[in-house]
Every structure is written in C-alpha cells, then in structure tokens.
Amino acid sequence: MNFGAPEWFFLLPALIAVAWRWRGLRLHEPLRALLLTGLVLALAEPRVRLASAGLDLWVLADRSDSAAAAMGQQGHEIEGILEKARGREDRVMYVDFAGEAVRRERGDPVFEGALHQTKIGAALEYTLAQMPAGRAARMLVLTDGFATEPFGTATEAVLRSRVPLDFRLLTEPVAPDWRVSALAVPARVLSGESFLVEFAISGPGDGAVPWEVTRGGKVAASGTATARGGVARVRLTDRLTGGGAVRYEARVKPVEDAHPENNSAEAWCEIAGGPRVVLVTNYPDDPLATLLGAQGLTVDRVTDPGTLTAARLTGARAVVINNVAANKLSREFLGALDFFVREQGGGLLMAGGENSFGSGGYFASPIDELLPVSMELRKEQRKFATAMAIVMDRSGSMAASAGPGLTKMDLADSGAARAVELLGDLDAVAIFAVDTQAHEVVGLAQVGPNRNHITESVRRVASSGGGIVVPVGLQAGWDELKKATSGTRHIILFADANDSRQQVAGYEAVIDGIRKDGVTVSVIGLGNATDRDADILEEVAKRGGGRLFFSADPAELPALFAQETVSIARSAFIKEPTETKGTPGWAEIGARTPNWLPTVDGYNLSYLRPGATASLIAVDEFAAPLVATWQRGAGRAATVSFPLGGPNSEKVRAWAGYGDFVQTLSRWLAGDDAPPGMALRTDVDGEQLTLELLYDENWQARIAATPPTAMLAENGGASSVIAQRALVWEKIEPGRFRTTVSLRPGKIARGAVKIGPTAMSFGPITVAGSAEWSFDRARLAELQSLSARSGGQERLNLAEVWQAPRPVAWRAVRGWLLMALAGLLLADAALTRLGISLVPARWRRG
C-alpha cells in the first residue's frame, strides 16, 4: 500500500492528544479509536497495488506513406515475435495510425486513414484513451520515427499516465536518398530589392547533385551542387517587381534516388510596397491607371488575366475588373476574391462594358453573390428569342466518380438542365448526347410549353462507351439550329479535355460553315488547359467565335452552363444613351455629392440587391442602378454599370467629375489603414501552422469587447472551390493569442485575423515540401527523448519487451474505507444509545 497524501499522518498525534484531553469524545472506546484512525487513513489517500501479473502491450503501427514499404516487409514478422514471446496473462492490442489512429480489432484491418501524414502525438493520446483501468501497460511504437508535426500535448499526457513508451525504428535497404532539406526565402521584400534565395541539399555522402529553382512556375536558375559530408548549400540572388506574392520551388534531380517525394521544397515571397490596387483591364491604355496612381495607390495593371492567381491578391487593398469577361480570368483567382473581400477586408469594383456583368458571364460565377447588383434574367429584358443547341460528351470517361453517389455525367446533366431553366419561354433549345455518334435527346423545341419535359430528359442522359467525335456533335447541333429563323443562335459544346481527339478530322470545315451561317460556338472543357486534348477545344472556341471555359472540378459545371446561357440569352448591355439621376446614397462614400453626368452612352442592365445602396440610377423603364455599393464582411464591393473606358464611354470620359468620382470610390474601396499596436506572426513546422497575435495596451479594451477571430482558406490552385476553416484562439498571456492548425499538403493557404472592423491578412502559405518525406531529425529526437523520460527505450530485441519491469498499477481505496467508517459510526451510535461499552469495566475511567 502507498499513500497519495502521507502528510496527514503527522496530524495523527495531535488529534489523539486533543481527543484525549477532551474526554467527552471517549476515545478510549475501541470503535471511536478506529474511527479516528480510519479518518486519518482516508485523508492520506491510500492506494493498493494490483496483484495482476498480466501486461497489456499497445503496439502503434505506422501506416503512413514513408513507412509503408518497411511495414509491409517487417510487420507480420514483428507481430509473430510479439505473439510468440508473450506470457499467458499478457495481451497485445494494435493501433494503426498515420493522419488518424484506429483500433485494429475494432474496425477494418486495412487502414484507410490519411497516409500523407504521420501524427505520432495524436496516436499516443488516442491509445492512452483506449487503455482500461486496472491493467499494467506499455506502448511500443513501430515507425520510421519521422512525425509530420510536433507531439504537442501528447508529451505531457504520456508522462502523466506513467505508461512507458518503447519504440522500434523501421528500416529498409534503400538506394541513396537526396533531398531538399531547407529552402529560405524572405517572407517580404520591397519591389526592386535584391535578396538571397538559399537552400540545402542533404544526402548519404559526397556527390554531384543537379538542381533547379523555379519562380512563379518558370525555371529561374539551374546547376549542379557538390555535396561534402552529405550536405550542399546553394545561394542565389534575385529581384522582384510588381506586386502580390511569388512562389519559389527548389528541386534536385539526382540520377538515382530512393524517395523522389522529398526532392522539392517551396516558399512564398511577398512583394511589399504602398497601398496597391490590382487593375484587371481590357484596355492597353486604361484611363483608370492614371487616376488611381494620382491617388497615391500603386497600380498593378493586368492585361493578361489568364495568368492571375490568388497570390496576386497578397498585399492588395482592392481589385478593379474593367470590362474583362469571366472566362478570361482563372477559376482560382475568381474563387479567391470572395475570401479576399469578406475575410481579408479587400475591396472589389466591377466596371461596365460589353464583356462585363451578365454579358461577360459573371452570372452564377464565384463573385456573383459578392456584387451589390444581381444579373438574373427577367422577362422585361428580352429583345429577341434565342435558339441554343447543347452538345454533351457522354463518352466512357463521363462515368467516373465526381463525389458521393455522383458521376461526371450527372453533374453535366445538371448543368444542361440549369441552362434550360434559365432560358425564356420564347427561346428554343436542342440537346444531343455524343459519343461516336450524335444521339438526339431533345430536338429543337420552344422552351415555354416543354420546359419540364426537356429538363427531365436531359437529367436522364447516361455515359456510354468510346470517345466523343466532336465534328459529329457540332454538325448535329448546327442542323437543328438551321430550323430557327430569327434571333441569336448558339452552340454549347461540353467535352472532356482529356478525351476529345477521336476522329476530329474535318472539324475546321464544320465550324467554318457554322460561323458563315451566323451561329457561334462556346466550349466548356472538363479538365485543365494543359490536358491532352485541350488544344482541340481551344481551337473550336476560337473558330466558333465563342467563349472557352476549363474546370477540373465537375461540381462547377452547373455554374459554367449558367454563366454561358445568361451571357448569350439576354440583351444585357444597353447601347442607347440613357439619362441618369443621383440619389442620397453617395453620402456613404464621400462627403461631397458629385455633379453627376446627365447621360451615359450605355450600361449593363442589372438589379439592386436588398441591402445595397444605389448612388446613381438610370432614368428609363428599368430604373437600373448605375453606381451601387455595399459592405461585404470586412470588405467592400461596388459596381459602376456604365463603361469607364473604351467603346461607349465618350460621355463619361468627357465628364468634368470623372477623375474625382473614380478617386473617391477607390479610396472608399481601399479602406482605412490598420491602427498601430498590433502584429501577426506566422510559423510553419512540418504541416503545422502557428499564428501568434500580439497587441499593446491600446488594444486591450477593443479585444475585450470584440475577441479576435481567424479564418483559413485553402485551395488546390486550378479550382474556384475554396475550403474555409475557423481557427480557435488560446490566450497565452496579456497581449498575446496563439492558435495552431494542420495544413493540408498540396494546398495553398491564405488567412485573415479580424478584430471588429479591422482585418489583417496573411499568406499564401504552403507546406515547404512533403512533410511526410522530409525526415526531420528533430521529430526523431523528440520520440527518443519522450521514450527515455517515460521509462521506455528503443527495442532492438522485441521479445525482451515482455521481460521489462512491469509498470506498477495502483487502485485508490479511499471510497471503500469511507464506507467502512460510516458503518463503524452507525454501530458506535447504536451502542451509545443502548449504553453498551466495549471496554471492560475495570479499564473504564472514573
């Protein structure tokens, strides 16, 4: 027996002395003496040693990618050794782990967790939670020793549990392994400033290792490094101009290599400067560039919008899209704008033109809900009927899964059905499903009386075999559109960018004939612009005089069909001179109301959303908002529905208040500077991101009233789909908050911290390389240290784990003792009431 609080024994003599002096307690009575002694024992927290000789050995098996080969070779042999050597009362329990941990006997023996991570700390905490009380236990970790993140709270949990931790390092005979072990790039540099790009190459010994460094995806430098003692260092100088953030990647290219997964590392560098505006424009000499520059803003003018990525938003205060069609912008950039405005506090302005708003394909786009105006199709807009043919790829590749219970074909069907829903009653549509032949789903029919039948028919289209023959599908669509005698005629071709080259001979002649007949062709390609058959689809759209969309995410197909349908089916840009009328709404933007221009040359028809403010409206049958604004989360969004440059802007550019209007609106969009006294620190260790928010006493009251929030957004690059996560802060001390989160490998992360209306952005951030294959020696040292501190060791002879000193298991008995004391108390009370004493008469005192 031992005691958790033995200090209570020192009070026993004092209690006896007091009780003896106070004779009314009758301590000479045996029951009362036992009660006093038992009370002291209970206060001392007595525990008894368990007598079981059995040992529970918890084996944690590393199933991650980096340990998979060795575990496959050695796993069964190790399990056999442990089973053969264990005693009759011993037990073995297995926990498989990588990114998650599971009990093997409680689930599928084939581990299906996140194999690109090795979370030893999380596996240790999971295992401790599984252990039953009353059994002696040890843990044995079978691993390569290289966790992808620090152990964190698991270290304290293991030491507190008093369960020894043993480990066995898995090894395998391998070829030489050369890797990029570190890449150092400044987090932030000034435009034009010279800086160093440094990286280290690690390997098994001496040798020559080829390398290259890319900047923004293009090779910037290359060479051969000479390693001495297994290490080589490369130092380069570079200089950046412009704005945003640039991704650097260092890569080694050894002739022989065991693990190509760790051959690269990447880092981001932000180009810092004054307040910056990204101007995405359709005009080589955009007048907005001069006006914004005169306002003290750094203008980052973009005339090739297809090159834009989310990294260009780093450090920007606002984005202006000036008459650029949605399909010209990358899906990644469009998808990033919502987070940029709502969470990072940026501003967004869309200016009018024939390539903007609904005409530019922004209906149902990722930024549709961000704008203060809506672009839906309304009956009063229609000037002419539209005849549309939808040609859909139903080849074998469309049967591939696109999510739980869905195929690519299912989502393409939903997209075509959405297009039909958006067409007007007087419009007409024909639909063909194409593989090696064109299969008519619906012949050219007026939408109004047939809408339900058409949508039901198109939702039943199923994938067949073979590949799509593009010319056959286009010819079938054209033949149907010949039956339409008036209005706009258009073909939408949907095809797989990796499976569209079958029997394409002659497609140029078909498209040329289509164009001569006044019909246009747009293409929605499932995949990326770099896919095998993307060039065919690009040529179809170019020759067809239409738009081209690529998306590798099938879930985006319904939105792409909707964008294209609205841009074709509505008369969205009104080219007639229209009178204007100001409203009091401008008071929210500037102190002085502009002397508004009386007439605009034309404008994009749209409708004010509830909650938005119109400062200028059209004096016509639509009373449409010409200038509209609203607050979106931490940021702001505005629309100017008339052109600010190029065609149909003569009256606007001649307006005396033009410059003041643009500059005042841009100041409002850019927002205010963050107050001083606050800083945000970021650190990436393996796959773990740590944020620290530091602030001085000037922020104490504000933070007490409005606690800080943090959001993290991650995307894979090509898709517009952004995964967002709210982070939870921990207050470390006054003036300091901290939060940690695991990054997803292969994803680009951006984030924002908000305190009331103030937002601070960070990122882009990525895992420097593959944390699973980086073989960080610090993680191995952490495992070795924790094992030694817990009473464990590295087990080279696995059979000896059963002969190790068994951890002593103790059970508290205070509860049982207190119950016995309660019984004694009742017995003493009964004897006292009956006048019975257990002390012989001759021993009784006076």
Side-chain angles (χ1 to χ4, degrees), residues 477-767:
W478 180 23
D479 289 343
E480 284 298 299
L481 290 182
K482 290 176 182 178
K483 301 173 184 178
T485 57
S486 62
T488 301
R489 295 182 296 166
H490 186 69
I491 297 174
I492 297 178
L493 170 66
F494 164 71
D496 189 336
N498 260 320
D499 188 23
S500 299
R501 197 175 291 275
Q502 184 172 342
Q503 301 178 31
V504 294
Y507 78 93
E508 299 95 335
V510 174
I511 297 174
D512 291 345
I514 290 173
R515 290 296 290 128
K516 289 178 182 178
D517 200 22
V519 179
T520 52
V521 181
S522 289
V523 176
I524 297 175
L526 182 58
N528 297 307
T530 55
D531 287 346
R532 184 186 63 190
D533 298 337
D535 57 332
I536 295 292
L537 302 183
E538 290 178 10
E539 184 65 18
V540 169
K542 182 178 179 181
R543 284 180 173 267
R547 307 173 196 273
L548 173 66
F549 302 86
F550 282 116
S551 177
D553 184 358
E556 293 184 337
L557 292 177
L560 293 178
F561 274 97
Q563 287 174 237
E564 180 61 13
T565 300
V566 170
S567 66
I568 293 299
R570 64 181 291 172
S571 302
F573 188 78
I574 296 174
K575 296 184 179 180
E576 304 166 359
T578 304
E579 293 183 2
T580 70
K581 182 176 72 174
T583 77
W586 187 258
E588 299 178 10
I589 309 300
R592 186 177 60 185
T593 302
N595 183 17
W596 292 108
L597 73 168
T599 307
V600 295
D601 297 285
Y603 72 93
N604 295 86
L605 180 57
S606 58
Y607 303 92
L608 191 69
R609 292 188 189 273
T613 300
S615 301
L616 186 70
I617 62 174
V619 181
D620 61 8
E621 59 185 302
F622 304 115
L626 299 178
V627 177
T629 56
W630 66 355
Q631 191 85 23
R632 291 286 85 188
R636 301 165 175 178
T639 53
V640 177
S641 298
F642 49 85
L644 293 176
N648 304 299
S649 68
E650 290 77 9
K651 290 181 173 61
V652 174
R653 286 183 285 129
W655 172 33
Y658 177 55
D660 183 64
F661 164 71
V662 170
Q663 292 173 346
T664 302
L665 187 58
S666 65
R667 278 198 305 269
W668 179 80
L669 287 168
D672 301 322
D673 294 331
M678 179 175 294
L680 185 64
R681 181 185 300 158
T682 62
D683 179 66
V684 178
D685 187 354
E687 294 180 0
Q688 191 173 75
L689 167 66
T690 300
L691 299 178
E692 284 198 337
L693 177 64
L694 309 173
Y695 55 93
D696 61 23
E697 62 277 2
N698 296 322
W699 282 88
Q700 295 280 6
R702 262 178 287 190
I703 288 180
T706 309
T709 62
M711 289 291 293
L712 188 73
E714 295 173 294
N715 75 309
S719 173
S720 67
V721 178
I722 306 293
Q724 297 188 23
R725 288 186 277 170
L727 308 183
V728 179
W729 288 108
E730 175 187 7
K731 188 171 184 179
I732 305 300
E733 59 186 1
R736 185 181 176 201
F737 281 85
R738 177 189 294 160
T739 183
T740 59
V741 62
S742 293
L743 298 174
R744 296 186 174 103
K747 302 292 185 181
I748 299 172
R750 298 174 297 120
V753 174
K754 292 193 294 186
I755 302 174
T758 301
M760 294 186 296
S761 62
F762 62 89
I765 295 171
T766 57
V767 177

Side-chain angles (χ1 to χ4, degrees), residues 30 83 180:
E83 288 292 337
V180 177

Side-chain angles (χ1 to χ4, degrees), residues 52-57 89-93 135-138 801-807:
S52 172
L55 174 69
D56 286 349
L57 181 64
E89 296 186 28
D90 297 331
R91 300 188 304 188
V92 185
M93 272 73 70
R135 290 278 299 182
R138 296 185 75 91
V801 73
W802 299 111
Q803 298 155 19
R806 306 252 165 151

